[in-house]
Amino acid sequence: KQWYQRRVRGKMMKLPSNVAAIDHAVKSLFTPVLVQKLKSRKLNDKVILGWKKTIKKLILLGGASTGNKISLMHNGDEVFPDVWKTIKNATKSVIVETYIFSSDYIGKKTLETLIEAKKRGTEVLLVYDYVGSKNVDMNSIKQLQESGGISVSFNEWKIWPWSMRFSPFLRNHRKLLIVDDKVAFVGGMNISSLYAGEKIGGTGYFRDTHAKVEGPILKYLTNMVYDTLNHIAEDKTYTLKLKSWVSNLFSNFKRSFFYNVDLDLLADQSGVFIQALESNSLMNKRHIQKAMRITLKNAQNHCYLTTPYFLPPARLRRAIIRAASRGVDVRIITAGLSDVPIVRYASQYIYNMFLKRGVRIYEMHGKTLHAKTATIDGIYSHIGSFNLDTWSNNSNLEINIGVFDPDHASDLENQFAVDLQICKEVTLQTQAKRNYFERIFHWAAYQFMRITGPTYRKFTN
């Protein structure tokens, strides 16, 4: 009972009254077919029982549903053509949230598709981050506005920082597309040619992972967008048109608080269990981090993490180390070629604390890593925008999905094996070969990131 009690905004949350119903939903989830799949992966009854308890804890975070479909894609040549096709078939609404919206070929093609959708009568909303999309062509954005679509530059910086309603450190790092409340794309890819291959006009610079989902999970993803838009629409810098649009399009949605558990969405056992998770400092939510800690604590066999930036916050750091100390095979792929080099240098300062406890670390050198994924025991997965660093943990708006399905976990683990082929393992021996200057430099980089990084607080004035 103590686990379920949490202090939120100064009030003690009580144990939900529907725990018995949640127990039944968890029991129904573990069908004979699923249990047989788990046993085929050499998971015994004790481990399966542990995962039943873990799934119950995850459900109580909110955002969980069954009866979903999911497709994993590991390069932009798969993602962007599917995105454009889905937008072209939209009839009701298209919602885009992205950290980077570039004005290169991929960005222009996406914008043209959005404008065409609006001309057909589809409602279109584009939310891009002011800092991440600082180089966006405003003439192109103006074309979308002139067609009747709405664009929002999230949390623009002002000359006088104290005049901002939100902290300048608050950034929208989500990568989310929702079409007609039926189909969603979520993962690590921004709208830029850097994430697409040469086949469709990109450069193939990044190695990333994205997911396409359909089903009841859309309710929770749409609700997360509603929460954010409700906050920013209150700011006087945004137009009455945005406020009206939010009010009309989301008229059937109510703001979610700590326990957002809809048992009706857990009734269909024909599809995949997916949970929408967010880290949202506006709403004081840290569900991604909590889900990661819960699943790492339950890990029995192995845990494979992929993250471009490896500076995990203290509680996740302890969860990773404790899993390895229990004998769990913990492997981490991070960037050897980084688009933010100082983060890699800072990471090298903390490698030893993980290596000494049995964690295996690999740096990708064949390509620039940008994927943010995790698989645990070959049955549970995370895919999304959340990095293992202080920015994602303390300030950014992030969205992940947690997937309890052995087949999709196997897909991610196969990709992990492919990625390992262009990686170099970091060991205590290679760390010991660093010269004195490198050690000092890595220490300085870590201190710089620690001092300049945002601290955890609610990011509203």
Side-chain angles (χ1 to χ4, degrees):
K1 183 175 180 179
Q2 292 177 352
W3 188 91
Y4 300 109
Q5 293 179 333
R6 290 291 184 270
R7 220 171 257 286
V8 180
R9 295 174 184 170
K11 296 182 179 179
M12 182 66 74
M13 300 299 296
K14 295 182 179 180
L15 188 69
S17 59
N18 55 5
V19 168
I22 292 175
D23 286 336
H24 177 73
V26 172
K27 184 177 180 180
S28 301
L29 176 64
F30 284 78
T31 62
V33 175
L34 177 60
V35 171
Q36 187 59 38
K37 281 186 178 181
L38 299 183
K39 289 185 176 180
S40 68
R41 285 163 171 77
K42 299 180 180 180
L43 300 179
N44 56 38
D45 291 337
K46 182 179 179 181
V47 174
I48 294 173
L49 177 61
W51 273 104
K52 287 182 179 180
K53 295 178 180 178
T54 299
I55 293 298
K56 178 180 177 180
K57 292 179 180 180
L58 290 172
I59 288 175
L60 287 167
L61 292 177
S65 64
T66 54
N68 299 288
K69 296 180 181 179
I70 178 171
S71 301
L72 298 178
M73 295 168 277
H74 303 291
N75 62 74
D77 289 349
E78 297 178 86
V79 174
F80 291 107
D82 202 353
V83 164
W84 297 331
K85 180 180 178 181
T86 305
I87 295 175
K88 286 179 181 178
N89 293 330
T91 58
K92 177 187 173 185
S93 62
V94 178
I95 302 170
V96 180
E97 270 193 293
T98 184
Y99 179 64
I100 298 174
F101 196 100
S102 297
S103 296
D104 50 28
Y105 174 77
I106 297 298
K108 290 179 180 178
K109 175 74 172 178
T110 303
L111 199 59
E112 290 172 1
T113 310
L114 292 174
I115 293 173
E116 291 173 2
K118 181 56 189 174
K119 290 180 178 178
R120 296 195 309 269
T122 304
E123 294 294 338
V124 174
L125 172 67
L126 168 63
V127 181
Y128 58 92
D129 187 79
Y130 174 75
V131 173
S133 304
K134 58 183 180 298
N135 295 323
V136 67
D137 181 6
M138 294 310 299
N139 290 327
S140 299
I141 297 297
K142 189 175 180 180
Q143 293 177 13
L144 175 63
Q145 296 171 340
E146 291 175 347
S147 70
I150 299 176
S151 65
V152 176
S153 176
F154 182 84
N155 199 21
E156 292 188 0
W157 284 357
K158 299 179 181 178
I159 297 176
W160 309 113
W162 53 83
S163 66
M164 297 177 64
R165 180 166 181 256
F166 306 117
S167 163
F169 291 108
L170 175 65
R171 308 301 350 145
N172 191 337
H173 195 246
R174 297 170 172 174
K175 291 87 176 173
L176 178 66
L177 167 67
I178 300 176
V179 177
D180 291 343
D181 297 333
K182 295 180 180 179
V183 183
F185 293 81
V186 60
M189 295 189 193
N190 290 292
I191 300 176
S192 167
S193 293
L194 296 174
Y195 300 84
E198 295 180 0
K199 292 181 181 179
I200 60 170
T203 64
Y205 179 74
F206 285 116
R207 216 302 284 156
D208 213 334
T209 295
H210 224 63
K212 178 182 179 181
V213 295
E214 303 173 70
I217 190 65
L218 268 293
K219 175 181 178 180
Y220 292 117
L221 293 173
T222 307
N223 204 26
M224 289 176 181
V225 177
Y226 169 75
D227 286 340
T228 303
L229 293 181
N230 233 10
H231 270 85
I232 67 175
E234 295 172 4
D235 195 322
K236 62 182 179 181
T237 61
Y238 295 107
T239 63
L240 290 174
K241 187 176 182 180
L242 173 61
K243 297 177 184 179
S244 176
W245 195 90
V246 172
S247 176
N248 292 334
L249 187 63
F250 298 96
S251 58
N252 295 326
F253 288 90
K254 295 182 179 180
R255 178 167 295 174
S256 60
F257 290 100
F258 191 73
Y259 292 118
N260 183 22
V261 181
D262 188 338
L263 293 175
D264 292 336
L265 300 186
L266 293 168
D268 184 0
Q269 304 305 321
S270 62
V272 179
F273 175 98
I274 304 179
Q275 185 172 28
L277 300 162
E278 66 177 322
S279 181
N280 187 333
S281 51
L282 289 174
M283 299 289 293
N284 198 27
K285 290 183 178 181
R286 293 291 183 273
H287 293 174
I288 295 175
Q289 297 90 317
K290 290 176 182 177
M292 283 187 170
R293 293 197 301 269
I294 291 169
T295 51
L296 281 166
K297 184 177 180 179
N298 184 66
Q300 302 292 322
N301 189 295
H302 63 270
C303 175
Y304 300 154
L305 301 169
T306 302
T307 178
Y309 318 115
F310 185 63
L311 285 173
R315 297 182 74 179
L316 280 174
R317 184 184 304 178
R318 289 195 295 269
I320 293 170
I321 289 174
R322 286 170 180 169
S325 299
R326 295 196 310 270
V328 176
D329 179 13
V330 180
R331 304 187 186 192
I332 298 168
I333 294 180
T334 188
L337 297 174
S338 178
D339 59 323
V340 189
I342 192 171
V343 177
R344 183 200 170 211
Y345 299 139
S347 299
Q348 289 176 312
Y349 174 71
I350 65 171
Y351 281 168
N352 281 4
M353 74 168 66
F354 293 92
L355 295 172
K356 288 177 180 178
R357 292 164 175 83
V359 177
R360 300 181 71 178
I361 299 175
Y362 304 83
E363 289 186 337
M364 181 180 289
H365 289 274
K367 222 170 189 184
T368 303
L369 182 65
H370 197 261
K372 309 99 166 44
T373 63
T375 64
I376 299 176
D377 288 348
I379 55 177
Y380 183 85
S381 312
H382 281 283
I383 307 104
S385 65
F386 186 86
N387 293 309
L388 286 178
D389 63 13
T390 53
W391 288 89
S392 284
N393 185 68
N394 295 342
S395 66
N396 293 344
L397 303 187
E398 307 280 5
I399 284 184
N400 271 25
I401 54 172
V403 183
F404 184 70
D405 181 76
D407 293 333
H408 291 91
S410 294
D411 187 332
L412 283 176
E413 291 186 354
N414 290 337
Q415 183 61 45
F416 190 90
V418 171
D419 290 341
L420 282 178
Q421 296 176 12
I422 54 173
C423 291
K424 294 181 181 179
E425 184 169 6
V426 180
T427 64
L428 289 172
Q429 289 73 27
T430 58
Q431 284 288 94
K433 292 179 180 179
R434 295 177 299 160
N435 59 43
Y436 183 75
F437 172 78
E438 289 175 325
R439 297 182 189 214
I440 293 296
F441 184 70
H442 295 162
W443 172 86
Y446 176 78
Q447 299 305 326
F448 176 81
M449 295 302 299
R450 184 180 63 83
I451 294 170
T452 60
T455 56
Y456 169 60
R457 59 185 179 275
K458 190 177 178 184
F459 276 75
T460 53
N461 293 331

